[in-house]
Amino acid sequence: MTLIIGALSLVLWSVLIPFGFTLLRLLGVYDVVHEGRCHVYTLFGKVVGVMREPGLVWLWPQMGPTALIVRWLGTRYVVDLRRDQTYIRSQPVNSEEGAPMGIGLWYEMFVSDPVAFLFANTDPRGSLRSNVSNAAVRCLSNMPLAAMLQTRHSMSESVRNEVSPESHKWGYRLGSVYVRKVHFRDVGMLRQIEEKVVNRLRQVTSAIRQEGANQVSVITSGAEREAAVDFAKAAALRPQIVGGALQRISREREVAETLFDVLETQRLLESKGRLTLVPARSAELLPQLLTSASLEHEGAAERSLVPVARAAR
């Protein structure tokens, strides 16, 4: 019996406790505000309470008896206070030279005044987008094309300074603004620029190659000239050196004769003629017979002079 009573009590409390908290919440005793959210309470067309702090909040201390009927007869708006971001693609602007350009704008925003966000503008998000687009056209049109392609940081600052005061009136504060992309909207102009860039690169490449070839030619000509000068000096000094050496050799008769014998023998060995060796003290008839036999063997067409070895001294 006791167990049954305990179980019934547990079931009763598990039903009564959620029901009681729900009833207290509907009566406006308390409310729960989540992180990054804001609750705005209106009653009969007037704002009676704004809850920005997250957590469990008590409505009676702030609204008084109005909290009892605000959930029944009034309206509760839940506003998201977290940061949001938007990207505007290819915002059309014109450069100072008249080129049609496209600007890619990224910006972030957040709700700074929930009441103004709800009631000052019916579409604050769309109005902010239009304001950013108009500011981009006002600030970035008629800029030099080179500056438009190189100074995106200063362009972003110009757009942000132009938009921020207006957006704050609607309870929407603009955060960072950044120009992410600048491109040509005219495809024909883009192709013409590509052709000009390609032609310019070809010209620069050809100029670099020609300059390199010229430098190589100059270096080669200089090296050849120096080599020719050195060879001419060497050719001029060679007879002097050889003559001096022969003069010193000729002072010693035996050395000179030996040298000339060696040179003559070397020339004979290097020549392609037939060489016949005869004894040193042979009669004069033997060399003549050997020479005649050699000439007959080679034939008349291949007849050549046969050197005869000198008799040894």
Side-chain angles (χ1 to χ4, degrees):
M1 187 63 181
T2 306
L3 183 61
I4 295 174
I5 293 174
L8 291 175
S9 301
L10 181 61
V11 172
L12 184 62
W13 280 108
S14 63
V15 173
L16 289 178
I17 290 175
F19 178 76
F21 277 102
T22 303
L23 182 60
L24 292 175
R25 193 170 183 179
L26 292 176
L27 291 176
V29 177
Y30 77 96
D31 201 354
V32 177
V33 180
H34 295 281
E35 182 72 26
R37 303 291 195 281
C38 176
H39 292 183
V40 179
Y41 300 90
T42 60
L43 182 64
F44 304 128
K46 294 183 179 180
V47 178
V48 295
V50 178
M51 305 299 172
R52 300 176 63 99
E53 296 297 329
L56 184 66
V57 295
W58 302 100
L59 301 182
W60 283 14
Q62 300 187 27
M63 299 183 190
T66 306
L68 289 173
I69 59 175
V70 71
R71 296 297 303 270
W72 301 91
L73 302 178
T75 305
R76 187 190 67 168
Y77 297 94
V78 179
V79 181
D80 192 350
L81 301 180
R82 294 175 297 180
R83 288 181 179 271
D84 196 3
Q85 57 185 1
T86 301
Y87 183 65
I88 301 177
R89 297 181 182 275
S90 189
Q91 175 65 38
V93 296
N94 292 324
S95 67
E96 187 179 27
E97 295 82 0
M101 305 296 294
I103 305 294
L105 274 174
W106 173 89
Y107 62 92
E108 64 176 9
M109 64 283 189
F110 60 93
V111 177
S112 58
D113 187 352
V115 177
F117 175 76
L118 290 174
F119 306 110
N121 193 323
T122 57
D123 186 12
R125 188 183 182 91
S127 298
L128 179 62
R129 182 185 179 89
S130 300
N131 198 355
V132 173
S133 300
N134 296 332
V137 173
R138 288 195 302 271
C139 298
L140 306 182
S141 291
N142 298 323
M143 285 185 63
L145 182 59
M148 189 175 293
L149 295 175
Q150 297 176 2
T151 59
R152 287 189 290 177
H153 182 67
S154 60
M155 292 163 61
S156 303
E157 290 183 352
S158 301
V159 175
R160 188 180 187 283
N161 295 332
E162 183 71 16
V163 175
S164 295
E166 296 295 331
S167 63
H168 188 57
K169 296 179 182 177
W170 307 325
Y172 227 4
R173 186 180 292 274
L174 187 68
S176 301
V177 178
Y178 186 67
V179 178
R180 294 182 62 183
K181 184 178 181 181
V182 179
H183 63 93
F184 293 94
R185 290 189 292 113
D186 190 352
V187 179
M189 179 177 292
L190 184 61
R191 290 178 180 174
Q192 291 178 359
I193 293 175
E194 289 178 353
E195 292 177 357
K196 290 182 180 179
V197 171
V198 171
N199 293 332
R200 181 59 179 164
L201 289 176
R202 289 176 179 172
Q203 293 175 358
V204 172
T205 304
S206 300
I208 292 173
R209 288 180 179 175
Q210 186 62 39
E211 186 178 357
N214 294 337
Q215 292 181 357
V216 171
S217 180
V218 170
I219 294 172
T220 304
S221 300
E224 290 178 351
R225 185 181 69 255
E226 293 178 358
V229 172
D230 293 337
F231 282 136
K233 291 180 179 179
L237 293 175
R238 183 173 180 275
Q240 181 181 358
I241 297 172
V242 174
L246 292 176
Q247 185 179 4
R248 289 193 298 272
I249 292 172
S250 62
R251 294 174 185 171
E252 300 293 338
R253 182 178 178 182
E254 294 180 356
V255 175
E257 291 178 355
T258 304
L259 174 63
F260 287 114
D261 290 342
V262 170
L263 292 176
E264 183 178 0
T265 304
Q266 184 178 0
R267 294 294 299 271
L268 290 173
L269 293 174
E270 292 177 352
S271 65
K272 296 180 180 179
R274 189 181 184 84
L275 181 64
T276 301
L277 300 178
V278 295
R281 296 183 178 179
S282 62
E284 295 181 356
L285 182 61
L286 181 58
Q288 294 177 359
L289 292 175
L290 291 174
T291 303
S292 300
S294 177
L295 293 175
E296 291 177 358
H297 179 70
E298 293 178 357
E302 298 178 354
R303 184 174 300 172
S304 60
L305 296 176
V306 178
V308 179
R310 298 179 57 186
R313 294 182 177 87

